[in-house]
Amino acid sequence: MDTPYQVGPDIHVLPTSLPLPGVGILPVNAYVIRAEEPVLVDSGIGLDSDDFMDALASIVDPAELRWIWLTHDDADHTGSIRRVMAAAPRARLVTNAFAALRMATWWPVPLDRVHAIRVGDAIDAGDRTLRAVAPPLFDNPLSIGVLDESTGALFTVDAFGAILPAVVEDVADVEPEALAGGMLGWATSDSPWAHLVDRERFGQVLARVQDLQPTRILSSHLPAASGDALGHLLQVLERVPDAEPFVPPGYEQFGHLLAALAHQAEPVGASA
Ligand SMILES: [Fe+2]
Ligand SMILES: [Fe+2]
Protein backbone atom coordinates (compact mmCIF):
# COMPACT_ATOMS: atom_id res chain seq x y z
CA MET A 1 0.00 0.00 0.00
CA ASP A 2 1.18 3.56 -0.69
CA THR A 3 1.23 6.38 1.84
CA PRO A 4 -2.19 7.93 2.57
CA TYR A 5 -2.49 11.59 1.64
CA GLN A 6 -4.98 14.35 2.19
CA VAL A 7 -6.94 16.24 -0.43
CA GLY A 8 -8.42 19.49 0.80
CA PRO A 9 -9.57 19.90 4.37
CA ASP A 10 -11.67 16.81 4.77
CA ILE A 11 -10.80 14.06 2.26
CA HIS A 12 -8.10 11.45 2.75
CA VAL A 13 -6.90 9.05 0.07
CA LEU A 14 -6.03 5.45 0.97
CA PRO A 15 -3.97 4.53 -2.09
CA THR A 16 -2.33 1.40 -3.33
CA SER A 17 -0.86 0.76 -6.76
CA LEU A 18 -0.74 -2.38 -8.85
CA PRO A 19 2.46 -2.85 -10.90
CA LEU A 20 1.97 -3.61 -14.58
CA PRO A 21 5.48 -4.58 -15.79
CA GLY A 22 6.55 -2.78 -18.91
CA VAL A 23 3.46 -0.61 -18.78
CA GLY A 24 3.38 1.27 -15.48
CA ILE A 25 1.15 1.18 -12.42
CA LEU A 26 -2.58 1.26 -11.82
CA PRO A 27 -3.64 3.34 -8.80
CA VAL A 28 -6.37 1.86 -6.61
CA ASN A 29 -7.87 4.36 -4.17
CA ALA A 30 -10.30 4.22 -1.29
CA TYR A 31 -11.30 7.47 0.43
CA VAL A 32 -12.28 8.76 3.84
CA ILE A 33 -14.61 11.78 3.96
CA ARG A 34 -14.30 13.49 7.35
CA ALA A 35 -17.95 14.48 7.41
CA GLU A 36 -19.79 15.04 10.68
CA GLU A 37 -20.81 11.43 10.13
CA PRO A 38 -17.55 9.96 8.74
CA VAL A 39 -17.72 8.08 5.45
CA LEU A 40 -15.43 5.46 3.93
CA VAL A 41 -15.65 5.12 0.15
CA ASP A 42 -14.60 1.57 -0.88
CA SER A 43 -12.21 -0.74 0.94
CA GLY A 44 -9.10 -1.36 -1.15
CA ILE A 45 -7.62 -4.63 -2.39
CA GLY A 46 -7.57 -7.70 -0.15
CA LEU A 47 -3.86 -8.44 -0.51
CA ASP A 48 -2.75 -5.59 1.76
CA SER A 49 -5.73 -5.70 4.10
CA ASP A 50 -3.63 -5.36 7.29
CA ASP A 51 -2.01 -2.22 5.92
CA PHE A 52 -5.38 -0.91 4.77
CA MET A 53 -6.90 -1.31 8.23
CA ASP A 54 -3.89 0.43 9.81
CA ALA A 55 -4.09 3.28 7.30
CA LEU A 56 -7.81 3.69 7.91
CA ALA A 57 -7.29 3.75 11.68
CA SER A 58 -4.60 6.42 11.27
CA ILE A 59 -7.26 8.75 9.84
CA VAL A 60 -10.44 7.83 11.69
CA ASP A 61 -11.35 5.37 14.40
CA PRO A 62 -13.30 2.80 12.37
CA ALA A 63 -15.80 2.62 15.24
CA GLU A 64 -16.73 6.23 14.39
CA LEU A 65 -17.57 5.47 10.76
CA ARG A 66 -21.27 5.96 10.06
CA TRP A 67 -21.33 5.18 6.35
CA ILE A 68 -19.40 2.79 4.13
CA TRP A 69 -20.14 3.74 0.53
CA LEU A 70 -19.27 0.81 -1.71
CA THR A 71 -19.20 2.10 -5.28
CA HIS A 72 -19.51 -1.44 -6.68
CA ASP A 73 -18.67 -5.00 -5.75
CA ASP A 74 -15.48 -5.52 -7.79
CA ALA A 75 -12.55 -7.16 -5.97
CA ASP A 76 -10.36 -4.02 -6.08
CA HIS A 77 -13.05 -2.16 -4.08
CA THR A 78 -14.18 -4.85 -1.63
CA GLY A 79 -10.78 -6.05 -0.36
CA SER A 80 -11.34 -5.23 3.31
CA ILE A 81 -15.10 -4.85 3.32
CA ARG A 82 -15.73 -7.67 5.84
CA ARG A 83 -13.11 -6.37 8.26
CA VAL A 84 -14.29 -2.79 7.94
CA MET A 85 -17.92 -3.74 8.55
CA ALA A 86 -16.86 -5.68 11.66
CA ALA A 87 -14.71 -2.78 12.93
CA ALA A 88 -17.44 -0.20 12.24
CA PRO A 89 -20.58 -1.54 13.92
CA ARG A 90 -22.41 1.81 13.66
CA ALA A 91 -21.81 2.14 9.93
CA ARG A 92 -24.40 1.44 7.28
CA LEU A 93 -23.36 -0.06 3.97
CA VAL A 94 -24.44 2.24 1.15
CA THR A 95 -24.50 0.42 -2.15
CA ASN A 96 -26.62 -0.83 -5.01
CA ALA A 97 -29.09 -3.42 -3.68
CA PHE A 98 -27.89 -5.98 -6.21
CA ALA A 99 -24.26 -5.38 -5.20
CA ALA A 100 -25.24 -6.29 -1.63
CA LEU A 101 -27.09 -9.39 -2.77
CA ARG A 102 -24.30 -10.48 -5.10
CA MET A 103 -21.68 -10.06 -2.36
CA ALA A 104 -23.86 -12.27 -0.16
CA THR A 105 -22.75 -15.16 -2.40
CA TRP A 106 -19.20 -14.93 -0.99
CA TRP A 107 -19.46 -13.36 2.47
CA PRO A 108 -22.32 -13.11 4.99
CA VAL A 109 -23.37 -9.52 4.26
CA PRO A 110 -25.42 -8.13 7.16
CA LEU A 111 -28.31 -7.16 4.90
CA ASP A 112 -30.10 -5.33 7.73
CA ARG A 113 -27.20 -2.81 7.66
CA VAL A 114 -27.48 -2.21 3.91
CA HIS A 115 -28.73 1.20 2.81
CA ALA A 116 -29.70 0.46 -0.79
CA ILE A 117 -29.14 3.42 -3.06
CA ARG A 118 -29.89 4.37 -6.66
CA VAL A 119 -28.59 7.12 -8.90
CA GLY A 120 -30.28 10.37 -7.81
CA ASP A 121 -30.75 9.26 -4.19
CA ALA A 122 -28.80 10.94 -1.38
CA ILE A 123 -27.67 10.36 2.18
CA ASP A 124 -27.34 12.97 4.91
CA ALA A 125 -23.90 12.72 6.53
CA GLY A 126 -24.72 15.37 9.14
CA ASP A 127 -22.94 18.41 7.74
CA ARG A 128 -23.41 17.53 4.07
CA THR A 129 -25.49 15.73 1.49
CA LEU A 130 -23.88 12.97 -0.54
CA ARG A 131 -25.68 12.41 -3.84
CA ALA A 132 -25.49 9.18 -5.86
CA VAL A 133 -24.39 9.87 -9.43
CA ALA A 134 -23.76 7.69 -12.48
CA PRO A 135 -20.12 7.47 -13.64
CA PRO A 136 -19.72 8.11 -17.40
CA LEU A 137 -17.72 4.89 -17.89
CA PHE A 138 -17.95 1.72 -15.80
CA ASP A 139 -16.99 -1.95 -15.78
CA ASN A 140 -19.84 -3.03 -13.53
CA PRO A 141 -23.51 -2.09 -14.01
CA LEU A 142 -23.95 -1.68 -10.25
CA SER A 143 -21.50 1.25 -10.12
CA ILE A 144 -22.60 4.33 -8.17
CA GLY A 145 -20.44 7.44 -7.76
CA VAL A 146 -20.75 10.14 -5.13
CA LEU A 147 -21.10 13.92 -5.35
CA ASP A 148 -20.36 15.72 -2.08
CA GLU A 149 -22.81 18.59 -2.57
CA SER A 150 -21.17 20.73 0.11
CA THR A 151 -17.65 20.70 -1.37
CA GLY A 152 -18.21 19.66 -5.00
CA ALA A 153 -15.89 16.66 -4.68
CA LEU A 154 -16.92 14.04 -7.23
CA PHE A 155 -16.03 10.39 -6.66
CA THR A 156 -16.18 8.82 -10.11
CA VAL A 157 -15.74 5.09 -9.38
CA ASP A 158 -13.61 3.49 -12.17
CA ALA A 159 -14.20 6.36 -14.62
CA PHE A 160 -11.28 8.76 -15.23
CA GLY A 161 -8.81 6.00 -14.27
CA ALA A 162 -5.37 5.74 -15.88
CA ILE A 163 -2.35 3.50 -16.11
CA LEU A 164 0.51 5.78 -15.11
CA PRO A 165 4.32 5.76 -15.38
CA ALA A 166 4.78 6.18 -11.61
CA VAL A 167 2.98 6.81 -8.33
CA VAL A 168 2.03 10.47 -7.81
CA GLU A 169 -0.46 12.26 -5.57
CA ASP A 170 -1.73 14.84 -8.06
CA VAL A 171 -2.71 14.38 -11.67
CA ALA A 172 -1.00 17.70 -12.43
CA ASP A 173 2.31 15.88 -11.85
CA VAL A 174 1.71 13.56 -14.82
CA GLU A 175 2.89 14.72 -18.24
CA PRO A 176 -0.29 15.40 -20.30
CA GLU A 177 0.52 12.98 -23.12
CA ALA A 178 1.34 10.16 -20.70
CA LEU A 179 -1.89 10.93 -18.85
CA ALA A 180 -3.98 10.83 -22.02
CA GLY A 181 -2.37 7.57 -23.18
CA GLY A 182 -2.80 6.01 -19.73
CA MET A 183 -6.44 7.09 -19.53
CA LEU A 184 -7.23 5.71 -22.98
CA GLY A 185 -5.47 2.43 -22.14
CA TRP A 186 -7.48 2.08 -18.96
CA ALA A 187 -10.82 3.18 -20.41
CA THR A 188 -10.63 0.90 -23.45
CA SER A 189 -9.77 -2.12 -21.29
CA ASP A 190 -12.16 -1.35 -18.40
CA SER A 191 -15.12 -0.18 -20.51
CA PRO A 192 -14.73 -1.97 -23.88
CA TRP A 193 -18.42 -1.33 -24.57
CA ALA A 194 -17.56 2.34 -25.14
CA HIS A 195 -16.71 1.44 -28.75
CA LEU A 196 -20.40 0.66 -29.29
CA VAL A 197 -21.89 3.94 -28.07
CA ASP A 198 -23.67 6.61 -30.05
CA ARG A 199 -21.10 9.42 -30.06
CA GLU A 200 -23.64 12.18 -29.56
CA ARG A 201 -25.30 10.50 -26.60
CA PHE A 202 -21.93 9.74 -25.05
CA GLY A 203 -21.10 13.42 -25.44
CA GLN A 204 -24.30 14.24 -23.53
CA VAL A 205 -23.23 11.89 -20.74
CA LEU A 206 -19.88 13.68 -20.48
CA ALA A 207 -21.64 17.05 -20.55
CA ARG A 208 -23.70 15.96 -17.54
CA VAL A 209 -20.44 15.43 -15.62
CA GLN A 210 -19.34 18.93 -16.61
CA ASP A 211 -22.70 20.33 -15.47
CA LEU A 212 -21.98 19.04 -11.96
CA GLN A 213 -19.06 21.53 -11.88
CA PRO A 214 -16.95 19.34 -9.62
CA THR A 215 -14.19 21.01 -7.62
CA ARG A 216 -12.27 17.73 -7.51
CA ILE A 217 -12.27 14.52 -9.52
CA LEU A 218 -11.60 11.58 -7.25
CA SER A 219 -11.41 8.42 -9.32
CA SER A 220 -10.74 5.00 -7.86
CA HIS A 221 -7.89 4.67 -10.36
CA LEU A 222 -6.32 8.10 -10.69
CA PRO A 223 -4.42 10.39 -8.32
CA ALA A 224 -6.52 13.27 -7.02
CA ALA A 225 -7.39 15.88 -9.64
CA SER A 226 -8.61 19.40 -9.08
CA GLY A 227 -11.66 20.69 -10.91
CA ASP A 228 -9.32 22.72 -13.16
CA ALA A 229 -8.20 19.44 -14.77
CA LEU A 230 -11.77 18.45 -15.63
CA GLY A 231 -11.78 19.98 -19.12
CA HIS A 232 -8.67 18.07 -20.16
CA LEU A 233 -9.89 14.82 -18.59
CA LEU A 234 -13.23 15.08 -20.40
CA GLN A 235 -11.48 15.80 -23.71
CA VAL A 236 -9.56 12.54 -23.29
CA LEU A 237 -12.72 10.57 -22.50
CA GLU A 238 -14.40 11.99 -25.62
CA ARG A 239 -11.78 10.06 -27.63
CA VAL A 240 -12.51 6.69 -25.99
CA PRO A 241 -15.19 5.41 -28.46
CA ASP A 242 -12.79 5.89 -31.38
CA ALA A 243 -9.60 4.79 -29.62
CA GLU A 244 -7.78 1.59 -30.53
CA PRO A 245 -9.68 -1.34 -28.94
CA PHE A 246 -7.77 -2.98 -26.10
CA VAL A 247 -6.38 -6.48 -26.64
CA PRO A 248 -5.45 -8.35 -23.43
CA PRO A 249 -2.21 -10.36 -23.14
CA GLY A 250 -2.29 -13.79 -24.75
CA TYR A 251 -0.51 -16.91 -23.51
CA GLU A 252 2.99 -15.87 -24.53
CA GLN A 253 2.64 -12.23 -23.47
CA PHE A 254 1.27 -13.34 -20.11
CA GLY A 255 4.34 -15.53 -19.64
CA HIS A 256 6.57 -12.52 -20.30
CA LEU A 257 4.51 -10.48 -17.86
CA LEU A 258 4.94 -13.12 -15.13
CA ALA A 259 8.68 -13.24 -15.76
CA ALA A 260 8.88 -9.45 -15.44
CA LEU A 261 6.87 -9.56 -12.21
CA ALA A 262 9.17 -12.25 -10.79
CA HIS A 263 12.20 -10.18 -11.79
CA GLN A 264 10.73 -7.15 -10.02
CA ALA A 265 10.16 -9.22 -6.87
CA GLU A 266 13.80 -10.39 -6.71
CA PRO A 267 15.81 -8.78 -3.93
CA VAL A 268 18.38 -6.27 -5.19
CA GLY A 269 21.64 -8.06 -6.12
CA ALA A 270 19.98 -11.48 -6.31
CA SER A 271 20.26 -11.77 -10.08
CA ALA A 272 23.56 -12.88 -11.54
FE1 LIG B 1 -14.65 -1.94 -11.43
FE1 LIG C 1 -11.94 -0.57 -10.01
Side-chain angles (χ1 to χ4, degrees):
M1 191 161 166
D2 301 321
T3 308
Y5 61 98
Q6 192 167 349
V7 182
D10 53 3
I11 295 170
H12 295 256
V13 187
L14 302 176
T16 193
S17 46
L18 302 178
L20 302 170
V23 185
I25 59 102
L26 175 69
V28 181
N29 300 325
Y31 294 95
V32 174
I33 307 172
R34 298 291 311 245
E36 185 182 338
E37 296 185 358
V39 184
L40 173 68
V41 179
D42 288 342
S43 65
I45 62 171
L47 216 53
D48 58 11
S49 187
D50 288 344
D51 291 342
F52 183 88
M53 295 303 292
D54 288 346
L56 173 62
S58 74
I59 293 161
V60 62
D61 178 353
E64 288 179 20
L65 285 174
R66 297 295 298 277
W67 304 97
I68 297 165
W69 189 301
L70 191 69
T71 61
H72 61 306
D73 59 331
D74 284 358
D76 52 327
H77 300 253
T78 56
S80 293
I81 191 66
R82 284 181 78 160
R83 291 180 70 178
V84 171
M85 287 290 284
R90 297 174 72 201
R92 296 189 57 80
L93 177 61
V94 185
T95 197
N96 183 303
F98 288 147
L101 292 174
R102 186 156 65 181
M103 282 194 298
T105 63
W106 60 271
W107 69 282
V109 179
L111 294 174
D112 57 334
R113 291 175 60 192
V114 171
H115 183 104
I117 199 157
R118 297 177 297 198
V119 169
D121 294 344
I123 61 168
D124 178 355
D127 59 350
R128 69 194 69 200
T129 298
L130 300 177
R131 178 82 52 192
V133 296
L137 291 169
F138 52 87
D139 65 1
N140 178 324
L142 312 180
S143 300
I144 299 188
V146 188
L147 175 67
D148 179 340
E149 291 189 339
S150 74
T151 66
L154 181 63
F155 299 82
T156 63
V157 199
D158 286 359
F160 295 97
I163 296 160
L164 297 176
V167 177
V168 295
E169 296 182 358
D170 190 323
V171 156
D173 295 332
V174 185
E175 196 265 319
E177 223 163 272
L179 178 61
M183 286 181 69
L184 290 173
W186 170 253
T188 52
S189 61
D190 195 57
S191 304
W193 52 264
H195 293 296
L196 308 175
V197 300
D198 177 285
R199 307 304 191 255
E200 196 180 325
R201 294 188 70 177
F202 186 57
Q204 291 165 1
V205 168
L206 297 180
R208 281 205 286 275
V209 178
Q210 190 140 35
D211 290 346
L212 296 175
Q213 297 186 308
T215 55
R216 295 182 196 285
I217 303 293
L218 300 169
S219 167
S220 302
H221 301 296
L222 190 75
S226 80
D228 294 343
L230 181 65
H232 176 65
L233 298 179
L234 286 173
Q235 279 171 10
V236 176
L237 290 197
E238 271 174 28
R239 294 161 54 190
V240 172
D242 297 311
E244 191 72 27
F246 177 79
V247 180
Y251 177 77
E252 274 186 28
Q253 289 163 312
F254 189 63
H256 295 152
L257 197 135
L258 291 185
L261 274 173
H263 183 70
Q264 265 186 10
E266 277 176 18
V268 176
S271 56

